[in-house]
Amino acid sequence: MSFKSIVRELREMGDGIGSLSRRGIEGRHWRNRTRSHIAPDVAPSELINQGQWANLPPELLLDIIRRVEESETSWPARTVVVYCASVCKSWRDITKEIVKTPEECGRLTFPISLKQPGPRDSPIQCYIRRDRATSTHRLYFGLTPSEDESDKLLLAAKKIRRATSTEFAISLVADDFSRASSTYVGKLRSNFLGTKFTIYDSQPPTDTTNHNRSSQRFQKKQVSPKLPSCSYSIATISYELNVLRTRGPRRMNCTMHSIPISSIQEGGTAPTPKSFPFKTIDRSTSSLSTTTTPNSNPLDSLMLKNKAPRWHEQLQCWCLNFKGRVTVASVKNFQLVAAVDSSHNVSAVEQEKVILQFGKIGKDIFTMDYRYPLSAYQAFAICLSSFDTKPACE
């Protein structure tokens, strides 16, 4: 059987899995474009017939999946790789072994890829579409919106106004922002003035994080898989006050509690979760969530600052070089670089690298380019902070 016919059958198999999902399995409507087109990191339903592919010799199976992974590098064609992981357990184990992290290959495949650091050499390019009517923001993979609106959804956020703060609930899908949902991944919360934001994650920054039992209201007696029962503070974003409006554009600083400064030093690494954890919860409690902060020294955390723009005399405005990715002037536009000093022993090249870039290209359309050591989730949450109103900072 030729390689093309194998790929064709895998696509047909994926269509079958999608139709089963729409009939009431956990992933109903997962093929709808408003949902993430990345396979959930859970085992496929046993109702799916594994068929003739389940008993392939491991060596042949390894070769097939490796060739599929190498040939389908972009979306939507990369859905074939997802289908490989949906056939059966043996296929899934080998697929997870072959598929590398975004840092290693520069590609997004499974949902956990959104929590893993981006590539070191070149950024992953995405765009955000804002819907004012529904107070939602959707992150898509791609340079710019396509004409047929078939771009792959990565994350979605819904703005929720409260009496003393504003929250953005972040999910893998665009129509379910419930904290009890398996698609919920975290939130962004502001203070009253909108000058300080905190990013919360539904899972620990690393797979080996030790939890303080006294700070969590759950027990191991009752198990609810993938139910977010705790919020972990992983970063804070601060905007400097500018009440008199005597300065230029916004000034922001980010403290990434979950990323050590050593990650951008030579030979350093950033925390890379491998899967979404299964969580346990005591349903008798009145609250589904508590908040914990990583027990790390703030001096050891990675600090980011916005790159200072220059004043253009002819245009009479502040300018940054976005390399063509931003085309409309906006107070929301920014570039983030590492904030380090000589004692951190960080090379000049790393200090000049733009880790996150965000800017406007049209009405309610913004580009977002991120790279190592930030993940897509962290970058998206930082960009969401720019959407909130900040009258005292501009």
Side-chain angles (χ1 to χ4, degrees):
M1 181 179 292
S2 66
F3 176 67
K4 289 185 178 179
S5 63
I6 292 176
V7 173
R8 185 168 56 252
E9 289 205 20
L10 285 172
R11 283 177 174 154
E12 293 173 356
M13 188 179 301
D15 293 338
I17 294 173
S19 63
L20 279 174
S21 300
R22 287 191 295 271
R23 288 198 297 269
I25 304 178
E26 292 182 350
R28 63 186 185 279
H29 305 309
W30 72 281
R31 291 177 59 82
N32 188 296
R33 74 175 184 87
T34 60
R35 283 197 177 254
S36 170
H37 288 251
I38 305 176
D41 196 14
V42 293
S45 172
E46 294 181 358
L47 295 176
I48 301 173
N49 185 12
Q50 295 182 358
Q52 59 182 336
W53 301 105
N55 298 320
L56 284 180
E59 297 79 6
L60 177 59
L61 180 58
L62 182 65
D63 181 63
I64 292 174
I65 298 179
R66 179 179 287 115
R67 292 174 63 185
V68 170
E69 201 277 334
E70 292 174 354
S71 64
E72 311 296 349
T73 59
S74 60
W75 293 88
R78 198 162 175 79
T79 52
V80 177
V81 180
V82 176
Y83 297 156
C84 288
S86 304
V87 175
C88 60
K89 186 178 185 301
S90 60
W91 279 63
R92 179 168 182 79
D93 291 341
I94 292 181
T95 304
K96 291 177 67 176
E97 177 184 341
I98 292 175
V99 174
K100 304 302 181 183
T101 65
E103 179 185 351
E104 297 170 311
C105 68
R107 296 189 287 268
L108 301 172
T109 306
F110 299 110
I112 196 61
S113 302
L114 303 175
K115 295 286 189 77
Q116 296 173 337
R120 293 176 181 259
D121 297 331
S122 58
I124 291 181
Q125 297 175 315
C126 314
Y127 71 91
I128 298 174
R129 184 186 295 274
R130 175 176 58 182
D131 188 332
R132 297 174 185 267
T134 59
S135 298
T136 57
H137 302 74
R138 300 179 183 181
L139 176 67
Y140 293 92
F141 178 77
L143 296 175
T144 55
S146 61
E147 295 181 357
D148 58 0
E149 298 186 355
S150 61
D151 298 309
K152 181 173 65 64
L153 177 72
L154 299 178
L155 292 167
K158 184 174 181 62
K159 187 175 183 179
I160 305 170
R161 295 187 181 276
R162 304 193 183 281
T164 59
S165 65
T166 299
E167 285 190 3
F168 291 84
I170 305 175
S171 172
L172 292 172
V173 297
D175 55 2
D176 187 0
F177 299 95
S178 170
R179 297 192 58 176
S181 171
S182 62
T183 60
Y184 175 84
V185 292
K187 67 179 179 181
L188 174 74
R189 176 186 290 171
S190 75
N191 64 356
F192 179 73
L193 293 177
T195 57
K196 185 176 180 179
F197 295 78
T198 304
I199 303 175
Y200 296 95
D201 200 331
S202 62
Q203 70 180 97
T206 59
D207 294 332
T208 58
T209 300
N210 293 323
H211 312 318
N212 183 354
R213 291 179 62 89
S214 63
S215 66
Q216 301 188 33
R217 300 176 183 177
F218 60 81
Q219 302 173 358
K220 295 184 178 180
K221 294 181 179 180
Q222 299 185 15
V223 179
S224 180
K226 300 189 71 177
L227 182 62
S229 57
C230 192
S231 292
Y232 299 85
S233 173
I234 61 171
T236 55
I237 308 163
S238 300
Y239 289 84
E240 294 185 14
L241 290 172
N242 187 21
V243 179
L244 300 180
R245 301 188 178 183
T246 56
R247 295 197 307 266
R250 295 173 178 174
R251 295 184 182 180
M252 62 186 297
N253 296 277
C254 303
T255 304
M256 310 304 298
H257 303 301
S258 60
I259 305 177
I261 186 65
S262 61
S263 64
I264 60 173
Q265 296 172 347
E266 185 176 357
T269 59
T272 306
K274 299 301 182 182
S275 62
F276 287 102
F278 283 79
K279 301 182 180 182
T280 56
I281 181 171
D282 182 1
R283 296 185 181 275
S284 64
T285 60
S286 59
S287 175
L288 287 177
S289 65
T290 58
T291 301
T292 64
T293 304
N295 295 322
S296 59
N297 186 347
L299 297 178
D300 298 330
S301 299
L302 175 65
M303 304 283 291
L304 303 177
K305 64 178 181 180
N306 62 315
K307 193 173 184 178
R310 62 179 180 84
W311 178 256
H312 197 293
E313 289 293 342
Q314 293 180 338
L315 299 177
Q316 289 294 296
C317 65
W318 296 95
C319 295
L320 279 171
N321 182 12
F322 290 96
K323 299 182 179 180
R325 288 287 287 155
V326 177
T327 58
V328 180
S330 173
V331 69
K332 297 177 176 62
N333 302 346
F334 66 80
Q335 290 179 328
L336 292 185
V337 296
V340 297
D341 54 44
S342 57
S343 64
H344 290 141
N345 194 27
V346 177
S347 66
V349 175
E350 286 293 333
Q351 294 182 40
E352 291 297 321
K353 276 186 179 179
V354 176
I355 296 176
L356 173 60
Q357 169 175 293
F358 173 77
K360 191 173 185 179
I361 60 172
K363 181 177 175 58
D364 295 323
I365 303 293
F366 302 80
T367 58
M368 185 196 89
D369 303 342
Y370 76 98
R371 69 166 77 216
Y372 176 92
L374 289 184
S375 66
Y377 170 69
Q378 294 165 340
F380 184 47
I382 293 174
C383 293
L384 287 174
S385 71
S386 186
F387 285 105
D388 201 30
T389 304
K390 304 171 185 62
C393 302
E394 51 197 43

